[in-house]
């Protein structure tokens, strides 16, 4: 089951994802997700785009957790809940290994645990465009699902066919400072939202 947040946009073909083959590789895989860039570190998986392996046994186990009021009081979002149930992306050392382009995918799979790596292209989080601009530019061509994590597409200035004029210089890594110097901060890909809206 593929779950997408309302602030995601599919911009390229995802047929390979819909085949769910990544979850069939190992029995222990429960979900496939993309690491979240959180407060300057790769931490947790972002639930804006997640591929779930249907299982009655697993769903009953997770549902039972929701009946525990003490357990449930800790959570402010589905993402925190999910990353507490599946803790495999709480280890920053392992997360850095998973993001290292110099390590082969087969080697990385040893660290996946119950959370298979969906890959950045299936959950490109737009706050990364100013927090890690070199990474963003390098990955952008392969992106299939954009996740408007900071500003939603509809919150950005309306543009069509291309993004805002490029910013000259280095953008601050904190959103409030970024938007002060560049009003289009976190909006470089918002033109895609407006283009799809017109279709």
């Amino acid at each position: 089951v593929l779950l997408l947040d309302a602030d995601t946009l599919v911009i390229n073909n995802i047929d390979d994802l819909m085949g769910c083959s990544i979850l069939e590789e190992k029995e222990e895989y429960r979900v496939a997700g993309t690491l979240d860039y959180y407060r300057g570190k790769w931490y947790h998986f972002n639930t804006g785009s997640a591929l779930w392996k249907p299982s009655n046994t697993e769903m009953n186990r997770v549902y039972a957790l929701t009946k525990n009021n003490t357990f449930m009081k800790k959570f402010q979002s589905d993402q925190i809940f999910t990353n507490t149930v599946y803790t495999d992306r709480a280890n920053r050392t392992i997360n850095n290994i998973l993001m290292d382009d110099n390590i082969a995918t087969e080697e990385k799979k040893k660290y996946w645990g119950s959370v298979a790596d969906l890959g950045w292209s299936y959950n490109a989080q737009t706050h990364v465009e100013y927090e890690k601009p070199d990474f963003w530019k390098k990955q952008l061509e392969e992106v299939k699902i954009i996740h408007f994590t900071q500003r939603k597409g509809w919150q950005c200035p309306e543009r069509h066919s291309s993004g805002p004029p490029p910013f000259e210089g280095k953008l601050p890594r904190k959103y409030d400072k970024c938007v002060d110097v560049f009003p289009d901060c976190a909006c470089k890909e918002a033109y895609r939202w407006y283009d799809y809206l017109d279709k």
Side-chain angles (χ1 to χ4, degrees), residues 134-191:
D134 292 339
F135 176 83
W136 179 263
K137 287 177 200 166
K138 182 179 176 184
Q139 303 295 322
L140 190 57
E141 191 174 307
E142 303 297 320
V143 169
K144 297 182 179 198
I145 299 173
I146 291 180
H147 186 186
F148 294 98
T149 49
Q150 185 63 58
R151 285 169 78 182
K152 310 312 175 192
W154 57 89
Q155 294 174 322
C156 294
E158 184 170 344
R159 290 195 172 80
H160 296 271
S161 302
S162 67
F167 179 78
E168 299 299 326
K170 188 174 180 180
L171 289 171
R173 292 183 181 219
K174 295 211 179 273
Y175 174 72
D176 56 340
K177 292 181 180 176
C178 180
V179 80
D180 283 345
V181 298
F182 184 51
D184 287 305
C185 188
C187 287
K188 288 182 181 178
E189 302 305 313
Y191 75 91

Side-chain angles (χ1 to χ4, degrees), residues 17 23 41 74 92 94 110 120 124 134 143 145 195:
L17 179 62
L23 293 175
K41 305 283 184 196
K74 315 182 219 185
R92 290 188 173 112
I94 289 175
K110 295 176 185 176
W120 182 258
D134 292 339
V143 169
I145 299 173
D195 286 351

Side-chain angles (χ1 to χ4, degrees), residues 29-77:
Y29 297 159
R30 297 288 173 221
V31 61
T34 300
L35 276 165
D36 194 9
Y37 194 69
Y38 179 72
R39 296 184 180 173
K41 305 283 184 196
W42 296 108
Y43 188 66
H44 284 163
F45 74 94
N46 184 291
T47 57
S49 172
L51 187 64
W52 294 90
K53 181 190 289 187
S55 162
N56 287 340
T57 304
E58 183 63 8
M59 293 318 309
N60 287 335
R61 180 185 81 83
V62 173
Y63 182 70
L65 293 172
T66 68
K67 298 296 184 186
N68 180 331
N69 289 335
T70 304
F71 181 76
M72 291 304 293
K73 284 183 181 178
K74 315 182 219 185
F75 307 114
Q76 300 167 349
S77 70

Side-chain angles (χ1 to χ4, degrees), residues 9-10 20 29 62 86 97 105 109 114 124 126 155 167 176 196:
L9 180 67
V10 177
C20 301
Y29 297 159
V62 173
Y86 304 104
I97 291 169
T105 301
K109 286 181 180 181
S114 60
T126 57
Q155 294 174 322
F167 179 78
D176 56 340
Y196 278 88

